[in-house]
Amino acid sequence: MQDLIRQLLTELGEDPDREGLMRTPLRVEKALRFLTSGYRANIEEVLNDALFTVDYSEMVIVKDIDFYSLCEHHLLPFFGKCHVAYIPNSRVIGLSKIPRLVDVFARRLQIQERMTNEIAQTILQAIDPRGVAVVCEGTHLCMSMRGVEKQNSFAVTSAMLGIFRDNARTRMEFLELIKLRTAVMTPTSESASLVCVND
Ligand SMILES: [Zn+2]
């Protein structure tokens, strides 16, 4: 990979042998491998030992989970907050595992919509809850840095499954608890991650 990065630097008009860039290919490779480590994570291992049977049926919420991902169209970062909620049937996930799960899907080449859905579907499959809700709010550098559609560089995506999809009151309770920065709340709102490929 480092040879390719050296070649890329040359293509960009740089001298890969100048002092400041000498170790750049090594650093870039390390960074890219870390930022895509989600491909090599094993979901079952992540959740292992953290699934519990309980007698609890209230909403479980983990909000303001930081995420950092890479837009698959430009390989530029998008990042922000992710809010996750579910209503258990009889099983719960250890709370500390939810941010780990977000990392697993964020550390890949992504679009925000897919990442949001993957987090929700994984929780659905792991504990079969009455419902799962995931909302992600992300700033897309591929939009803001390139000066494209600046006003749309912030995107909100959501996945509402089970009772969060079927019951407006449950959904509203969740949205009230996370106090969204924007009012956009339709499940398939137009978002920057799709807009970013229209150029
Ligand atoms: Zn992009």
Side-chain angles (χ1 to χ4, degrees):
M1 193 188 295
Q2 293 176 43
D3 285 343
L4 285 171
I5 296 161
R6 281 177 55 87
Q7 200 179 327
L8 177 69
L9 290 171
T10 308
E11 290 281 338
L12 292 174
E14 263 293 355
D15 168 14
D17 293 320
R18 75 176 169 83
E19 197 183 341
L21 294 179
M22 289 281 273
R23 290 172 54 79
T24 296
L26 175 69
R27 293 190 195 98
V28 173
E29 174 173 4
K30 276 190 185 167
L32 283 176
R33 290 201 188 279
F34 176 77
L35 296 175
T36 58
S37 57
Y39 290 121
R40 296 172 293 283
N42 181 329
I43 302 278
E44 272 154 39
E45 264 171 39
V46 169
L47 297 180
N48 204 11
D49 304 332
L51 303 178
F52 308 103
T53 301
V54 292
D55 184 15
Y56 182 78
S57 56
E58 298 299 315
M59 192 183 298
V60 175
I61 294 197
V62 184
K63 58 179 195 170
D64 292 328
I65 302 166
D66 289 318
F67 76 83
Y68 297 89
S69 190
L70 288 175
C71 151
E72 69 179 20
H73 305 124
H74 298 94
L75 302 190
L76 287 172
F78 69 95
F79 58 93
K81 302 279 187 193
C82 180
H83 317 286
V84 175
Y86 66 89
I87 297 181
N89 239 331
S90 60
R91 306 184 80 200
V92 295
I93 300 175
L95 286 181
S96 68
K97 297 294 182 172
I98 304 275
R100 279 284 295 123
L101 205 57
V102 171
D103 281 344
V104 166
F105 291 107
R107 288 175 188 161
R108 301 177 182 203
L109 306 185
Q110 276 289 14
I111 61 173
Q112 190 176 312
E113 291 87 343
R114 187 174 61 226
M115 182 181 82
T116 307
N117 279 319
E118 285 173 342
I119 296 164
Q121 290 292 341
T122 301
I123 294 170
L124 186 73
Q125 281 161 27
I127 54 169
D128 190 28
R130 293 175 63 209
V132 184
V134 178
V135 168
C136 297
E137 311 170 79
T139 298
H140 292 243
L141 291 190
C142 66
M143 307 279 300
S144 42
M145 284 183 80
R146 296 182 310 135
V148 188
E149 303 271 353
K150 264 191 167 57
Q151 68 279 16
N152 283 337
S153 65
F154 182 76
V156 180
T157 50
S158 70
M160 300 285 166
L161 306 178
I163 195 171
F164 288 94
R165 183 191 56 218
D166 301 335
N167 186 314
R169 260 190 69 182
T170 305
R171 190 165 61 244
M172 288 314 294
E173 186 188 347
F174 167 64
L175 295 175
E176 178 60 28
L177 284 164
I178 64 173
K179 294 211 188 324
L180 273 186
R181 281 159 60 189
T182 62
V184 192
M185 242 6 280
T186 51
T188 51
S189 59
E190 194 183 335
S191 69
S193 43
L194 291 182
V195 174
C196 91
V197 289
N198 291 343
D199 64 306

